[in-house]
Every structure is written in structure tokens, then in C-alpha cells.
Amino acid sequence: MSDRKLLVTDPASDQTLELPVVAGSEGDPTIDIAKLYPSLGYFTFDPGYGSTASCQSDITFIDGQQGILRYRGYPIEQLAENASFLEVAYLLLYGELPTSTQYAEFERDITYHTMVHEKINNFINGFHYDAHPMAILSGVVGSMAAFYHDKLDVKDPEQRELAAKRLIAKMPTIAAAAYRHHMGWPVAYPRNSLDYSERFLDMMFSVPAEQYTVNPVAAKALNLLFILHADHEQNASTSTVRLVGSTGANPYACVSAGLAALWGPAHGGANEAVLNMLNEIGDISKAGEFMARAKDKNDPFRLMGFGHRVYKNFDPRATIIRQACYEVLEELGQSDPLLDLAMELEKIALEDEYFVERKLYPNVDFYSGIIYKALGIPTSMFTAMFAIGRTVGWVSHWLEQSASAHRIGRPRQVYTGATAREYTSIDDRKPSA
Ligand code: ACO
């Protein structure tokens, strides 16, 4: 709490209220409005939460005007350049980078928990072969509540930590199993000798008929993408996890809800939508035509992978991924006309009044799909890839909230429906106009 206060006067009653200003360690000042309703009888109205801070958090800092993203104080650029994904996971969960002993112990714990109960594989087999991987992921992760619920006391910090580790460890196993189910391939069990990203690639692409060797370029690229997706403060899916968690629900149910929120095309589903869009545009010569459609309010077409609620200058993750696109394609000896098309769309947008005025820039999802495609990951799996990285953020926020005093999340509304009226019997009712 800072010394600053905001004075609110209600002209109707002539009452004045002092609202305290909450100051974080950095970032914009925030008014604490908790006393507004009890004192003056007013709620606040902020659909989409564009001006609302829902909690205090120590985990991730974003400055949308300056394009800054930091996990626990460390700039995303430094983590992307130097860290392994599990190092970042440890940082997000515990607040500090691990020492080598702590890292070895954490990696061993995660590796130890990567296998799923065999009955979960039966569960996956129950899905139709063409079920969307996000539907499978959300359903199967939710079902883990049934596998572990009896033993889970969410008030016990050790049990919470174990659930968090299980979720980080098992998410890639389930995601890969969803893909294999679609392909009609047998289950690939996690190999403990591999690291987190290598193990995922092995579970995705190895087949019993021949030896599979993980390409280190692919593993390095995945490590980077998982880091960039790991957390992003109170985005829609993380807020969902926190809201569900605020009721004391089982963590697997909370993360299942987070997966459902992530799937939407306005959020994590955008990476799949971007690639579909690039394929639909097809050729650089059509870029101008589609940009015109994106600006036309009568056309539902939007430039997917563009725009962000918080970033109004540039998304630092997009800058890193754009560069990585070139490097990965070059190292894999591939070229992709979709990258040229994406660059052309970005170029047009950066000079176009519509996009400049609205501060619309490429977001994390604009370029990520081009890398996933180069690694052989099918478009329908893109959001599941995002989910693997973001699981760390979800469980870090769930742990943070669970360990601190919190109330159930319960917003109010501005009611716009019918006012009080009398019940009429069915014979007396007339059809409404
Ligand atoms: N293409 C065309 N116009 C756009 C786009 C876009 N991608 N994004 C925003 N706009 C326009 C809106 O139509 C609106 O114009 P108006 O002021 O004339 O009405 C203005 O820009 C502001 O947009 P809002 O929708 O109000 O912005 P909001 O903060 O609510 O939404 C969002 C942000 C959902 C990311 C939006 O920009 C969007 O839909 N982008 C495409 C989907 C996408 O890439 N999502 C991934 C986000 S990152 C992530 O979750 C990982």
C-alpha cells in the first residue's frame, strides 16, 4: 500500500471516500476499490477487465508500453538465450533460479513423474481418432482429478507441490499420446534418459518399427518456445485457473479449465489459426487483399497473431521467435514461403494507419507456428504445444494463490433484464412479440 490516495465524491450523497493506491514493486499504480461498494454503494464496471487487477502476484511482470516481459525479475531475452525450460519452470515455481543441486533434484522429480497411469491411455483410446488434441488434453487432465483426488488435500503445501510437478511432467506425455491416438500409433512411454524437450519429441515421433534420433536443433527450438510460453501473468487461461482454484477445486480440474480457456482463437488457439490463415492467403500477392479484409468491420476476418491486450508497442516474445524462425529453418536446411508471407503481412501492418493507430503488432503466436511446422508438428497440435509450456505458469499461479489468503472469485454484474413482474399461468400467456 502506498501513501497515495484517490478521492471519490458521490454527488448524489455528497459523501467523499478515500481510496488507497496499491503500489507494486513496479508497474502502474492501482486503486483499491474494495471499500467503494460498502461505503458508497457503487460497483465498478469493466467488461473484459481492461482496467482491473485481479490479484497481487510476485511471478511475472509485463510493461505493455515498453514491451518488457520478466519472469521473477529476469528479462525474457536473457532466459530465452541462456536457460533450459526446467530451469525457468523452477524459477517460476519457487522464485529463484536453481543451484545445480536443486536443478538436478527438480529434473529428477519431473522425469520421475512423466509416466501416466495406464488407465489414462484407455481413456484416450475412448476418443474418436479425429478428436481435437485440446479436447483430449482438457478432458484427460480433468480426469486426473479422479486418479489423484482421494489423496489430494489442497490445504497441504507438499501435496500441492506434488500435484504441480505431476502436471508439468505429464502434460507432454498426454499431449503426445493425443497425437499418437490420431495417427493410430501405439503409446510411446517417456524415456528418462532424455531431457524435457527431447523426451517430448521422442514420444511424438518415435515408432516401434525403427530407431528414432532426436534432432538437437528441434529440441533446442522447443526449449525456447516452452520458455516463451511459460507464463504471462493474468491472461485469460491463468485467470481461469485462479478463478476455479479460488473455490478450492482440485488442481487437475483447475488446469483442465485453463486448457479450455487457452484453446479459444483469441488466446492460445491463435497459433493454429495463424497457420490456417497463412495457408488460406497462400501467396504474397494476396497479402494486400487480406489486409484490407482485416480492416473491414463488415468482414469477420481478423489478422490472427496480431494485437494484444497488454502490449501496445511490441511483444518481446514475437521479436525472439521471429529471429528463431530464420535460425531454425536455416539449421534444418528448410525454407518456407509462409515465413516470407508472414514478414510481408507484418511489413504492411507496421505501415498501415489502421494497425498503427490501434497499436496492433505481431504477438507470440504470429511466428511460432512456422517453427512448429518446420519441426513436423501438425497444425492441430500447436495449441497443445503452447499448453505444455503454459502449464508451468498455471501451476505457479495456482500455488501462489493457494499459499496466500484469498477469497472466492465472484464478480458482479450490471443487470439489464426484466424488472419484477407477476407469474402468469401457462393458459394466460401470450407469445412475446
Ligand atoms: N485484426 C484486425 N483488427 C484487430 C485485430 C486483428 N488481429 N485485433 C484487434 N483489432 C482491432 C479491433 O477490431 C478494435 O478496433 P476498433 O477500435 O475499431 O473497434 C481494436 O483493434 C482493438 O481491439 P480489441 O478487440 O478491442 O482488443 P482486445 O484487447 O480486446 O483484444 C486480442 C486483443 C484478442 C488479442 C485481439 O487483438 C485479437 O483478436 N487478435 C487476434 C487473435 C490473436 O492473435 N490472439 C492471440 C493473443 S496472444 C495470446 O493469447 C497468446
Side-chain angles (χ1 to χ4, degrees):
M1 213 58 80
S2 80
D3 293 339
R4 281 170 73 180
K5 303 223 179 321
L6 203 86
L7 289 184
V8 181
T9 305
D10 178 10
S13 63
D14 211 22
Q15 251 185 296
T16 295
L17 179 67
E18 276 191 353
L19 292 177
V21 173
V22 186
S25 47
E26 50 186 331
D28 296 324
T30 304
I31 308 160
D32 178 349
I33 55 157
K35 294 235 158 49
L36 189 63
Y37 179 69
S39 304
L40 298 185
Y42 288 97
F43 287 120
T44 54
F45 182 55
D46 182 22
Y49 313 116
S51 301
T52 297
S54 60
C55 62
Q56 296 194 349
S57 178
D58 295 351
I59 301 174
T60 288
F61 174 72
I62 303 176
D63 182 328
Q65 301 301 331
Q66 296 191 61
I68 291 173
L69 169 61
R70 295 189 210 119
Y71 297 161
R72 302 278 190 185
Y74 293 100
I76 192 66
E77 293 79 7
Q78 290 182 21
L79 294 169
E81 177 77 29
N82 302 301
S84 78
F85 173 63
L86 284 189
E87 238 181 309
V88 169
Y90 186 99
L91 173 70
L92 288 168
L93 285 170
Y94 301 111
E96 297 296 338
L97 286 166
T99 63
S100 50
T101 314
Q102 287 167 331
Y103 183 74
E105 206 174 295
F106 181 66
E107 190 178 33
R108 194 193 57 224
D109 276 1
I110 296 295
T111 305
Y112 179 80
H113 285 294
T114 47
M115 269 179 73
V116 294
H117 194 292
E118 197 59 27
K119 286 211 161 58
I120 286 190
N121 290 322
N122 296 346
F123 200 85
I124 293 173
N125 279 332
F127 283 92
H128 202 263
Y129 81 95
D130 61 355
H132 194 283
M134 286 302 285
I136 298 184
L137 220 51
S138 177
V140 169
V141 169
S143 82
M144 284 166 70
F147 286 87
Y148 301 106
H149 192 81
D150 291 349
K151 298 193 192 84
L152 208 152
D153 174 4
V154 292
K155 296 207 169 67
D156 177 345
E158 270 179 38
Q159 293 189 46
R160 289 200 298 262
E161 190 179 349
L162 178 59
K165 284 180 181 163
R166 279 191 174 130
L167 277 156
I168 296 168
K170 294 183 201 305
M171 196 62 79
T173 313
I174 300 168
Y179 171 65
R180 299 180 77 86
H181 176 64
H182 170 73
M183 297 299 284
W185 295 349
V187 169
Y189 293 97
R191 280 175 51 196
N192 286 2
S193 56
L194 301 175
D195 77 15
Y196 193 86
S197 301
E198 292 168 341
R199 188 184 308 119
F200 173 74
L201 287 166
D202 183 70
M203 287 189 289
M204 274 289 283
F205 298 121
S206 63
V207 288
E210 56 190 52
Q211 182 72 28
Y212 174 77
T213 312
V214 176
N215 183 335
V217 174
K220 187 173 156 226
L222 269 196
N223 182 69
L224 172 72
L225 289 168
F226 289 154
I227 289 174
L228 296 178
H229 282 124
D231 193 40
H232 213 227
E233 53 118 301
Q234 309 309 321
N235 57 85
S237 56
T238 303
S239 298
T240 302
V241 171
R242 276 192 179 254
L243 184 63
V244 179
S246 76
T247 69
N250 180 291
Y252 302 104
C254 298
V255 170
S256 168
L259 283 157
L262 185 76
W263 191 9
H267 189 13
N271 56 11
E272 181 177 345
V274 168
L275 214 84
N276 291 336
M277 175 190 78
L278 293 175
N279 279 322
E280 190 193 344
I281 299 174
D283 189 78
I284 283 198
S285 62
K286 296 240 185 80
E289 178 195 320
F290 278 83
M291 290 304 273
R293 284 187 58 192
K295 295 188 284 180
D296 181 355
K297 296 288 175 204
N298 298 316
D299 190 323
F301 178 80
R302 276 195 155 197
L303 191 59
M304 298 312 289
F306 253 74
H308 197 275
R309 170 61 63 77
V310 183
Y311 293 120
K312 299 299 172 197
N313 187 337
F314 65 95
D315 179 339
R317 303 167 300 174
T319 310
I320 298 169
I321 296 184
R322 192 206 293 111
Q323 182 57 29
C325 267
Y326 284 112
E327 289 165 12
V328 170
L329 288 178
E330 196 186 315
E331 285 174 43
L332 293 176
Q334 296 182 17
S335 67
D336 190 339
L338 294 188
L339 178 57
D340 300 330
L341 175 56
M343 293 291 294
E344 179 65 14
L345 292 170
E346 180 180 349
K347 188 166 156 270
I348 298 175
L350 293 182
E351 289 163 4
D352 188 296
E353 205 184 304
Y354 174 97
F355 290 90
V356 174
E357 236 176 43
R358 290 170 179 75
K359 301 184 179 358
L360 301 170
Y361 298 90
N363 61 49
V364 66
D365 282 331
F366 193 61
Y367 289 103
S368 62
I370 294 171
I371 301 188
Y372 289 137
K373 182 172 169 246
L375 305 187
I377 292 166
T379 317
S380 62
M381 278 294 290
F382 287 4
T383 311
M385 303 303 297
F386 190 152
I388 294 173
R390 185 53 57 86
T391 299
V392 169
W394 292 332
V395 296
S396 300
H397 282 271
W398 176 75
L399 286 174
E400 182 180 62
Q401 176 177 267
S402 306
S404 57
H406 64 274
R407 300 171 77 195
I408 185 171
R410 202 323 186 168
R412 297 302 303 266
Q413 62 172 6
V414 176
Y415 175 69
T416 55
T419 51
R421 49 186 171 163
E422 297 296 320
Y423 178 85
T424 50
S425 80
I426 196 162
D427 297 333
D428 297 337
R429 287 176 214 159
K430 299 191 174 56
S432 48

